[in-house]
Every structure is written in C-alpha cells, then in structure tokens.
Amino acid sequence: MSLEEFENRNVSEGAYYKVDIADYPETGWDKAKQVFSRAIKGELFVGLGVVMREMLKFDIHTVKYPLEKLPIGPRYRAVHEMQRLWESGTERCIGCGLCEKICISDCIRMDTKIDENSRKQVTEYTINLGRCIFCGYCAEVCPELAIVHGGRYENTSEQRAHYTNYEDMLTPFDMALKGQVPEYPGFGAVTPHEDERVKSTPLAY
Amino acid sequence: MEVAYIIETLIKIVVILLVFSALAGLGTYFERKILAFMQRRLGPMHVGPYGLLQVAADGIKLFTKEDIVPTNAVGPIFKIAPVITAATAFMAAAAIPFLPQFTLPFTDYVVHPIVADVNIGILYVLGVMAVGFYGPLLGSLASSNKFALISAARAASVFISYEVITGLSLLAPLMMVGSFSLIDFNNYQAGGIGDWIIWSQPVAFLLFWIAAFAETGRTPFHLVANDHEIIDGFGTEYSGMRWGLFFIGEYANMFFISFVIVLLFLGGFGDGSVLGAFAFLGKMAFFFFFFLWTRAAWPDIRPDQLMWLCWKVLMPIALINVVITGFVMMF
Ligand code: SF4
Ligand code: SF4
C-alpha cells in the first residue's frame, strides 16, 4: 500500500461499485419471461448441485463441543493463573501489589506479611472474576511473571466466592515438585526473542 | 370368506398406521440428517448411535408436554384440527397400493397390500388429502393468534391455487389410462420403463410434481408455516402431542404423495415381481429425498408469487397439455 493510499482517510473512495440490477419487470409478459429465463438458466439446479456436492464431499465442520474443543490462541486472556518457580516450587508472587494497583476494575485484593525469613509473603490474594474485564493489565505489569492469563474459559459455579479462589488459580504444588510447570507461553509471559530486542540504555542523555 | 376379508383389512389398516407413524418419525430424522450433511453439519448425534433414537426422545417429549389451549382460542375446533390433519393423511393411504400383491408364505392366501381398491382411487386420495388442509386452516383460525391468522389466509390461497394444477395436470394421464384406480394406472405401465407415463406426459408429470410441493407444504412453497416469517403459522399456539399430530400428518403426507407420484407417472411396482417392489420403494425414496433436497437448496417464494405461478403460468400449460393430449388421442 502506497503512502498516499494509506493517508487517504476517505475510505469510501473507489471502494464501492454499483451492482448491476435489471429493472423490475412491469408487464405480466415481462414477468413470465423473467421466470422462464431464470428457470431455464438452471439457477435452481445449480443450488441443488451445490448442496449435493457438499453432502457427498462430507467435509463436516461440526465440533461436538463439550466432548471436543477447538484449540485456543496462546495469547487468549481467560481466567488468571498464578505461577510457581521452576525448581523450588515456591510461589512467584512477591506481594509487590502492582497488580492490585493497576487493576482498572479494582477487583484484585491482597494482604501480605513479613514471614520468618524476612521475606514478604502473600497471605490473601483474591480476584473477583465477576468484576474482572480480562484486560490483561495485571499480567502485563507483574514483574515476576507470577500472574498470567490461562486458557480456562468455562466458568460455572453456584457460589460467587468460587470465582475469587486463589488456590484454584495457583499451579498445584505437587505439579511444581514434579517439575511439571512448563514455561508459560500465554498472555503475561515474556515475548519470544526478548533478549535480541533488549537495547542497552544510553548513559548520556 | 367375509370374516377373513374383514380381519385382513383390519390387519392391513393397523400395519399401515404403525408403519407410517414410525416412518413419519424417522422422516424427521432423515430430514435433519440430510439437511445437516448438506450444510456441513452432523445433525443429531447424541441420543443413540448416530442420533437414531432422537425420534424416540422427541416422541417422549411431545407426549409428556403440557397440552395448552390458549384463553381466547375456540376450544373444540382448536382441539380437533390436528386430528383432521393426521387422520386425513392416513385415510388417503387407504387407496394407495404400497406393494404388489403377494402370496403369504406356506399358504395360498393372496394378499393385496391396498386397503380398498376403490375404482375412484386417485380422486379419493387427492380429495382426502385436500380435506387435510382443513387442519391448518381451522387450527389457525381457532387459535386467536395473529401469525396463525396470516397462516390461515395463506393456507386458503395456497389451497385454491395448487388444487387446480393437481386436477388439471392429472386429466391428461387419466384420459390415456381411462380409469381412476391406482392399480389400473400401475397395470397400464407394467410393460417396463418404456411404458411409463412420464415419457408420454412429461408436462403433466412436472406440473403434478410442482403441485405436490404445495400440497405437502414443502419448500419452495412452505408458506403456511414459514418459520422465518410467521413463526410456525398454524402451529404457533400448539404444544405437545397436538403439535406432534400436525407433524405426523405432514410427514405421512410426504410419503403418500411420493407413492402416488411413482404410481401415476413412473411405473409403480411394474409387473409385480420382487424386483419391481424394491424399485417401487426406491423410486418413492427418491421423491421423498427430493423434498429434503430442495429444502436445503431453494428459497421460499411469496404467497402472491405462488398464486401467480399456479393460476397464470401452470394452469394454462396444464390446459394446453389436456387439449393436445385430446387431439393426439382423437387422431
Ligand atoms: S485482567 Fe484487568 S480487570 Fe482483570 S484482574 Fe487483571 S487488571 Fe484487573
Ligand atoms: S504484580 Fe505479580 S508479584 Fe506483584 S503482587 Fe501482583 S502477582 Fe504478585
């Protein structure tokens, strides 16, 4: 696309054309002629042929949904997941509170304390999924890649409280011990080839 | 003799009722499957193998649903209307031979698979099928619903249009055969494919076939209960088994009219051999399939277009056909 085309804000220019529609038949004889020409041109039989061809090809596109699911894009933003560290399996979240601060619908609540190793520990962490708009800011801002967006898009519950459960979002500890926490490719993770894209900060301004 | 005849007739009636009620149910299954395949879907799959038991599930649902009669509806007429549709559909079957006559195995008892070979067979079949239109007409007038009312008006207009074509298109073959009995029609064409009336009366065949679409209310003449315009037309206020009766009537009608087309124009069961019987059922199945095929492919036309087509295009053609047949037969 050339620059002029790109900068042309008048999008309708050249994009529309008039469809060639014949005038409506006026007299009865003209109507009869139209009916016969349409019937003899075989448009009806073209239609029959098309559906028959599709039936014989048997190229079925049905997905039997609860039994089968379509793959979902890795950057899809569904219910959050809280990640653990690879080797030790400790929770990645350091309780910095950035996600709570940035959340535009104010649905993250957390509470922290200093634990016996003088590290900050998260004691309460809830996301009210009833309010969350899945904007992805929390995953974007997290410095530890702790909170990310997973692919779980089916949420049903009788209890509103179930939508906020931190334990549900947290990767199960036994999985982490078995080394089954894969590097997370989805929303919130570092984009691929990030190393090559990092530029050294100039010292002089 | 008399007792045997009565018992035989009763058995035949029961068999036809059972077979065609079941076929009407299966017809809905075939329709859903074939439409689905033509639209690259799978259709019913969950109830039973390949969704075969879907019919049973629908049956249970229809039987057990609450039967609602709306407040302002005319009760008795509202209640009797579906029965008219279903009953007339099955009554029409009385004069249709469904198979060639055969001898019962191990006996010498000859069975004629036709309930009553009346000598005005085709008149009777078409007449009773036409009475069936009272079902939608009365049902929609009685149910005090504006969509049903539109449906009633359409039913009347469709009815007066297609009946002309059915009658006039049949006149020419009737003149050739010289009998109203469907058995006589079959015997007239028993000599093989060359004897089929479709070769001598192709125009009449096409006209009758077109009228059959209006008669059974199938796309492209699906005006009386056109879902996307007038909800379900006459069926809007119906629920449960009453609505189911309309359905059974409609699908049974499709089967019966397919039998009639084959008997009239395509040689019926021919010389009555086993092969002929199978060919008969095969030809019938094609016409039934064609009803489903067009539903997947063709749009519906407007009621005024249907009337225009029937009265101004098809009726003159039918008349000319009758006249030409007369001249050919005379000289
Ligand atoms: S996705 Fe957006 S709305 Fe949801 S918790 Fe994160 S920041 Fe808040
Ligand atoms: S931004 Fe990340 S590390 Fe900081 S509190 Fe939120 S989840 Fe924990």
Side-chain angles (χ1 to χ4, degrees), chain B residues 50-71:
Chain B
Y50 298 99
L52 260 174
L53 294 181
Q54 185 70 42
V55 184
D58 287 345
I60 294 170
K61 179 190 155 200
L62 287 181
F63 268 110
T64 51
K65 263 189 142 179
E66 186 187 352
D67 176 32
I68 300 170
V69 179
T71 318

Side-chain angles (χ1 to χ4, degrees), chain B residues 6 14 21-22 24 40 42 47 54 69 90 123-124 139 144 146-147 177 188-189 193 197 226 234 249 275 278 328:
Chain B
I6 292 174
V14 171
S21 311
R40 298 156 131 203
L42 275 175
V47 194
Q54 185 70 42
V69 179
F90 284 103
L123 269 193
Y124 169 79
S144 122
K146 59 184 169 188
F147 294 106
V177 177
Y188 182 87
Q189 313 171 70
I193 293 186
I197 294 182
N226 212 349
F234 57 89
L275 193 67
F278 276 110
V328 170

Side-chain angles (χ1 to χ4, degrees), chain B residues 11-149:
Chain B
I11 290 177
K12 280 191 282 198
I13 291 174
V14 171
V15 167
I16 287 179
L17 264 180
L18 289 182
V19 168
F20 280 95
S21 311
L23 268 185
L26 274 180
T28 65
Y29 173 75
F30 289 137
E31 165 146 36
R32 278 186 258 182
K33 272 295 191 197
I34 286 172
L35 280 183
F37 292 159
M38 288 180 167
Q39 297 161 354
R40 298 156 131 203
R41 293 183 288 114
L42 275 175
M45 281 301 276
H46 287 290
V47 194
Y50 298 99
L52 260 174
L53 294 181
Q54 185 70 42
V55 184
D58 287 345
I60 294 170
K61 179 190 155 200
L62 287 181
F63 268 110
T64 51
K65 263 189 142 179
E66 186 187 352
D67 176 32
I68 300 170
V69 179
T71 318
N72 291 328
V74 187
I77 298 178
F78 184 83
K79 287 177 190 162
I80 201 77
V83 184
I84 297 178
T85 304
T88 50
F90 284 103
M91 274 156 61
I96 301 175
F98 290 105
L99 284 174
Q101 67 185 45
F102 58 92
T103 334
L104 271 192
F106 312 119
T107 57
D108 52 358
Y109 193 82
V110 180
V111 180
H112 304 268
I114 175 171
V115 176
D117 183 13
V118 283
N119 55 6
I120 51 159
I122 184 61
L123 269 193
Y124 169 79
V125 172
L126 293 178
V128 174
M129 275 190 176
V131 173
F133 245 81
Y134 273 109
L137 191 62
L138 292 178
S140 46
L141 283 178
S143 59
S144 122
N145 176 304
K146 59 184 169 188
F147 294 106
L149 195 62

Side-chain angles (χ1 to χ4, degrees), chain A residues 35 44 48 54 60-62, chain B residues 37 40-42 293 298 308:
Chain A
V35 166
L44 289 175
L48 286 181
E54 292 305 326
I60 302 290
H61 289 247
T62 302
Chain B
F37 292 159
R40 298 156 131 203
R41 293 183 288 114
L42 275 175
W293 194 2
W298 290 352
W308 178 84

Side-chain angles (χ1 to χ4, degrees), chain A residues 17-53:
Chain A
Y17 60 91
K18 287 218 168 76
V19 183
D20 190 20
I21 301 179
D23 291 338
Y24 281 106
E26 296 281 328
T27 62
W29 176 239
D30 284 343
K31 282 184 193 165
K33 272 197 297 192
Q34 184 181 355
V35 166
F36 277 109
S37 78
R38 283 182 180 174
I40 288 165
K41 253 199 272 169
E43 285 169 5
L44 289 175
F45 299 95
V46 172
L48 286 181
V50 167
V51 289
M52 182 48 100
R53 186 189 70 212

Side-chain angles (χ1 to χ4, degrees), chain B residues 11 54 99 246 276 284 306 313:
Chain B
I11 290 177
Q54 185 70 42
L99 284 174
F246 272 131
M284 187 282 292
L306 174 64
V313 181

Side-chain angles (χ1 to χ4, degrees), chain A residues 82 92-100 108 110 122 125 138 141-147:
Chain A
M82 301 298 290
R92 283 191 185 183
C93 177
I94 52 169
C96 69
L98 283 176
C99 51
E100 183 188 29
I108 300 183
M110 56 193 299
V122 185
Y125 190 103
C138 50
V141 82
C142 179
E144 296 291 314
L145 304 185
I147 185 165

